[in-house]
Amino acid sequence: MSALTDLIYGGANAVAGLTENAVNQAVEQYGPDKKVAFPDTAYFLPTIYAATGVKVQTLGDLPACVNVLKSLITNKEDLNEALNAGLATAVGAEILEALKYVAQENPYAGESGIGFVPDPVIRSLGVPLVTGDIPGVAVLLGKADCAKDVADIVRDYQEKGLLTLMVGDCIEQALENGVRAGLEYRVVPLGHDVTAVTHAVTVAIRAGLIFGALTPGDLPGLLAYTKERVPAFVNTFGAIGPVEVSAGAGAIALGFPVVVDIDLAENQVPGALVSVTDHGKTAAESLHLRHIKVKAKAVELPVSFAAAFEGEIIRKGDTYAEFSSHLNPTCELVTMREEESQVEDGAIVIDGPDIPEGATSIVELPLATTVEVYGERMQKDFESVIERKIHAWFNYIEGVMHTGQRNLFRIRISKDAWERGLRLKHFGEVLYSMIKDEFGEVVDKCAVRLITDKAKVDDFLQNVAMPRYNARDERLASLTDESVDTFYTCVLCQSFAPAHCCVVTPERLGLCGAVSWLDAKATKELSDAGPSQPIPKTGCIDEKLGAYESVNEIVKEATHGAVENVTLYSLIQDPMTSCGCFECICGIEPLSNGVIVVNREYAGMTPTGMTFGELASMTGGGVQTPGFMGHGRHFIASRKFIAAEGGVRRIVWMPKELKDDVAARLNKTAKEEFGIDNFTDMIGDETIATDPESLMAFLTEKNHPVLSMDPIM
Ligand code: SF4
Ligand code: NI
Ligand code: CU1
């Protein structure tokens, strides 16, 4: 037997033995009826569920899984057979980790790792993955001979936008060398035991279940999905024993190349298991092996500039300078100019005092971030599309936090970034470079002026920015589905959900919440063959349902025949499909005859008896599930929200945070469309009821309009 297959089988057999013992012991200790589950998932033990279709719910379900696991270990001298044994190791690790959750409610409390990654987190990664903001996922395992090397590699991945998942002592090695960890930094420590690698594996597997509409039990389908659609790879550090090698074999079986930092000599498997002994080359070689392309950086700064820093929070005590609407006039505005000569391309001007050097307390300044663009194909409608990106771009700067938009925002620059040389002019460079990079098709010329003179900011805010915001709001309010003759598709999510297509209309944004009709229109202008294509509004079949021949035709084509009929406004009749990254889901609440709406962030129970995760698992992967539908937050207050079933009047329950967030707009819609006052006061939330009976009592007390409506189905 070759040394490699020898090692794989050795590890797989060892894990199988450990798993069998642990399962027997747990059954003995807790009894076969004891529940076993990972937190916040609708996919049971995901590897077992996806590979075999078995829904493990109690300890008594596990012995049969152990037998399946053992049957995968054939000990035959053949690399593919050995890779299957690697899958057995993955299953064993999953069971061993699940048993930790039987013994303790949160076995990872007090650990530097987070353990199991909940479903909503995976859903939230959908959009950045499809847009290439997260170009790939790195799984780091083990302990390197040099801690600083690990930190350098993680930082390299971070700067390239990758998501890094870490298992083992490499976690401390990175943290001790200044790497900041957390989902917001795209660096997530999973745990120290080698079995914690299962928490990386199930992320890939659930991606298939959530977005790919995989049939549980379809193992070949699963392996094809992870290989083709999940851009992950593994780096191991330090000496690796049989267990690590067999876990690596499992990764290879899923299509993820493994780069080790020891010399494997003839045991390497080209394209799949590779030795890179120079840590300086680990990252580049890994990306090459997985064919991950990283967008070239459009801008050079004294600090990092990457999507990985988007969620970074800068506390007051760490702040060097701040531009805050609470203390000073502020605004940001992108305006289009009609004449080429009006815009001096590349001009970056600071109009007013710059941030002073050597300040001993927080510098507070006014700021008007003004951008003027000219382009032959530029349209006024694209101003807001570009302007909204300022938030993301400024946040990409390491050591900078941006919240808010328009005339209400706060920007903080950290002391650390300041010391490293970040200055105000760099903000101008970021805007110029990113606008040229992302909007080059429509922007020929671009000039940035950062106004910090208080009187000038005030003047600009009152006389230029506010009137422009108001004009845009009027335009948006007049943009209805009736007023336009074109809708748009968005198929960006097809890289994960091949059968999914969003139809974006002025009153119905994409379900991820990130693509409005204006965005889709701009996307079409930016890239002719891109993810958004126009749908002429022709061949109306049923106005109330929002059924159009043209929509059906184009969606059918865009989904390669997977979806034949789609309505724009119905939850029941051919509802729009879901990919998996929806912000909210709505579903029928049968007792009240209404619908509940739940957002991804809400982890508690709903009156349907299902959590967000469980509801979400009912739809996704481009499948139509009448009665359940993913949608964007903003859609809730739309006149078109399930208009075919009677509109927003059907909403009977929302988590409190969501209800409060949409209250003003939702109340306005309810009043305008149905003459209902203070509608949200009639809608339940988790502080009122989480079961249908108490909810019903509340609705009756409030005389909720749904009580006098026709049955929803
Ligand atoms: Fe994905 Fe739809 Fe959002 Fe496009 S609009 S990114 S397809 S969820
Ligand atoms: Ni290659
Ligand atoms: Cu999506």
Side-chain angles (χ1 to χ4, degrees):
M1 224 183 244
S2 86
L4 179 63
T5 48
D6 224 9
L7 273 173
I8 296 174
Y9 285 123
N13 282 310
V15 171
L18 274 176
T19 310
E20 187 165 32
N21 284 339
V23 166
N24 291 340
Q25 221 173 48
V27 173
E28 205 167 291
Q29 187 178 349
Y30 302 101
D33 296 332
K34 174 84 174 170
K35 288 216 166 355
V36 43
F38 287 119
D40 235 333
T41 182
Y43 303 100
F44 313 95
L45 304 200
T47 313
I48 293 173
Y49 180 54
T52 67
V54 173
K55 301 173 175 179
V56 174
Q57 281 166 304
T58 62
L59 286 178
D61 297 330
L62 286 176
C65 299
V66 173
N67 289 335
V68 173
L69 176 170
K70 290 203 286 191
S71 73
L72 284 169
I73 312 173
T74 60
N75 295 311
K76 281 189 200 144
E77 172 63 55
D78 171 85
L79 188 60
N80 282 322
E81 292 280 330
L83 294 183
N84 279 336
L87 290 176
T89 300
V91 170
E94 178 170 86
I95 294 175
L96 289 169
E97 284 290 312
L99 291 178
K100 290 185 182 171
Y101 285 88
V102 172
Q104 275 173 284
E105 194 177 333
N106 183 6
Y108 282 90
E111 251 251 35
S112 48
I114 64 160
F116 189 80
V117 179
D119 289 357
V121 171
I122 300 176
R123 292 179 185 277
S124 73
L125 293 172
V127 171
L129 279 164
V130 297
T131 55
D133 266 353
I134 300 181
V137 181
V139 181
L140 273 49
L141 175 67
K143 180 178 186 177
D145 51 4
C146 169
K148 195 181 154 292
D149 287 1
V150 174
D152 288 345
I153 291 171
V154 175
R155 254 191 230 106
D156 193 359
Y157 289 145
Q158 208 172 24
E159 284 191 21
K160 293 184 164 76
L162 275 85
L163 174 67
T164 304
L165 306 175
M166 307 180 79
V167 177
D169 290 336
C170 57
I171 296 174
E172 272 67 35
Q173 294 189 306
L175 297 183
E176 279 160 15
N177 281 278
V179 168
R180 277 175 289 181
L183 189 62
E184 65 274 34
Y185 293 111
R186 308 256 163 95
V187 176
V188 181
L190 295 176
H192 283 93
D193 296 347
V194 60
T195 48
V197 76
T198 199
H199 302 311
V201 171
T202 74
V203 169
I205 285 174
R206 278 178 290 157
L209 292 167
I210 289 174
F211 301 109
L214 279 177
T215 312
D218 175 11
L219 181 60
L222 171 71
L223 297 183
Y225 184 91
T226 51
K227 186 179 166 69
E228 284 160 24
R229 300 190 185 272
V230 182
F233 59 84
V234 180
N235 292 159
T236 72
F237 296 100
I240 43 175
V243 173
E244 286 85 356
V245 172
S246 64
I252 294 169
L254 291 166
F256 308 148
V258 177
V259 173
V260 302
D261 68 350
I262 52 170
D263 189 359
L264 287 179
E266 72 280 1
N267 275 320
Q268 297 188 66
V269 181
L273 180 62
V274 176
S275 286
V276 178
T277 50
D278 176 356
H279 286 148
K281 297 189 174 132
T282 302
E285 189 55 31
S286 301
L287 294 175
H288 171 73
L289 272 172
R290 195 62 180 118
H291 299 288
I292 294 172
K293 285 192 194 68
V294 176
K295 282 189 213 161
K297 242 204 273 178
V299 48
E300 283 303 326
L301 296 176
V303 293
S304 294
F305 181 79
F309 297 101
E310 194 174 358
E312 186 186 17
I313 288 168
I314 296 177
R315 298 203 167 68
K316 208 165 175 188
D318 301 325
T319 304
Y320 184 84
E322 180 180 72
F323 308 93
S324 165
S325 312
H326 294 298
L327 301 166
N328 281 299
T330 59
C331 63
E332 49 197 27
L333 186 75
V334 174
T335 32
M336 166 186 147
R337 290 307 199 121
E338 302 288 343
E339 302 294 330
E340 198 171 350
S341 60
Q342 290 171 310
V343 181
E344 186 195 335
D345 189 45
I348 296 169
V349 176
I350 295 177
D351 188 351
D354 204 338
I355 303 170
E357 302 282 336
T360 49
S361 57
I362 299 181
V363 176
E364 298 283 356
L365 281 174
L367 178 68
T369 305
T370 75
V371 181
E372 298 198 323
V373 296
Y374 166 82
E376 255 171 70
R377 294 171 60 196
M378 180 66 195
Q379 300 181 21
K380 265 217 159 10
D381 271 351
F382 303 160
E383 286 179 351
S384 61
V385 173
I386 300 176
E387 192 177 292
R388 230 186 41 206
K389 298 278 308 202
I390 295 177
H391 169 71
W393 293 331
F394 281 180
N395 270 324
Y396 287 1
I397 309 174
E398 188 185 7
V400 170
M401 178 175 80
H402 179 288
T403 55
Q405 56 166 340
R406 287 189 168 185
N407 58 322
L408 292 173
F409 65 69
R410 169 147 75 193
I411 300 174
R412 279 181 174 166
I413 303 173
S414 76
K415 287 177 184 163
D416 178 58
W418 180 265
E419 268 156 35
R420 284 160 69 184
L422 185 74
R423 294 295 177 267
L424 191 53
K425 68 167 196 273
H426 292 121
F427 287 70
E429 285 169 20
V430 163
L431 292 178
Y432 177 77
S433 308
M434 293 309 288
I435 289 171
K436 278 302 189 79
D437 189 53
E438 289 190 18
F439 294 93
E441 288 294 321
V442 294
V443 173
D444 305 334
K445 290 182 152 196
C446 170
V448 181
R449 193 159 59 105
L450 302 168
I451 313 174
T452 57
D453 177 276
K454 189 153 187 272
K456 281 188 187 167
V457 175
D458 258 327
D459 177 59
F460 186 86
L461 176 62
Q462 296 314 323
N463 299 315
V464 183
M466 289 315 287
R468 198 73 210 102
Y469 298 147
N470 292 336
R472 275 191 208 155
D473 285 345
E474 269 163 43
R475 158 90 176 130
L476 271 184
S478 72
L479 263 184
T480 60
D481 288 5
E482 289 78 15
S483 73
V484 301
D485 54 15
T486 309
F487 301 146
Y488 291 92
T489 60
C490 180
V491 295
L492 208 53
C493 282
Q494 284 195 353
S495 50
F496 285 97
H500 173 71
C501 171
C502 277
V503 180
V504 182
T505 77
E507 292 180 82
R508 180 167 190 168
L509 78 173
L511 55 84
C512 57
V515 179
S516 70
W517 184 82
L518 287 181
D519 293 320
K521 187 177 168 207
T523 300
K524 166 68 186 160
E525 206 58 44
L526 291 171
S527 154
D528 215 35
S532 283
Q533 293 300 320
I535 307 176
K537 206 173 76 181
T538 54
C540 183
I541 303 165
D542 184 324
E543 203 156 346
K544 189 157 170 255
L545 289 170
Y548 292 87
E549 277 165 19
S550 59
V551 171
N552 290 340
E553 248 165 63
I554 289 175
V555 167
K556 185 176 173 188
E557 202 184 296
T559 60
H560 314 286
V563 182
E564 302 210 335
N565 296 302
V566 148
T567 64
L568 304 179
Y569 312 131
S570 178
L571 173 65
I572 315 257
Q573 171 87 44
D574 303 323
M576 219 177 274
T577 63
S578 298
C579 46
C581 64
F582 37 85
E583 290 185 300
C584 300
I585 184 165
C586 71
I588 292 179
E589 199 291 294
L591 188 64
S592 65
N593 213 7
V595 301
I596 63 154
V597 180
V598 201
N599 54 309
R600 199 163 55 204
E601 295 79 11
Y602 176 74
M605 189 41 74
T606 77
T608 58
M610 289 185 273
T611 60
F612 171 85
E614 286 161 343
L615 283 162
S617 71
M618 312 275 296
T619 177
V623 179
Q624 287 174 308
T625 321
F628 297 93
M629 187 172 71
H631 57 81
R633 234 177 216 255
H634 203 81
F635 186 51
I636 298 170
S638 167
R639 291 192 306 145
K640 301 297 192 203
F641 180 80
I642 59 169
E645 283 78 37
V648 297
R649 280 177 298 171
R650 288 278 182 193
I651 303 176
V652 293
W653 191 93
M654 282 192 266
K656 188 155 190 331
E657 180 272 321
L658 180 64
K659 189 166 76 172
D660 292 345
D661 183 44
V662 301
R665 293 174 45 248
L666 182 54
N667 283 336
K668 187 163 174 275
T669 306
K671 177 76 182 164
E672 284 171 5
E673 292 290 297
F674 307 111
I676 305 168
D677 286 305
N678 301 323
F679 177 50
T680 47
D681 292 349
M682 303 172 183
I683 299 176
D685 62 44
E686 73 277 19
T687 67
I688 294 163
T690 50
D691 68 279
E693 289 77 22
S694 334
L695 175 63
M696 196 60 184
F698 171 79
L699 300 174
T700 310
E701 181 199 317
K702 295 285 173 186
N703 196 20
H704 190 291
V706 80
L707 301 175
S708 52
M709 290 174 75
D710 291 338
I712 190 164
M713 287 189 88

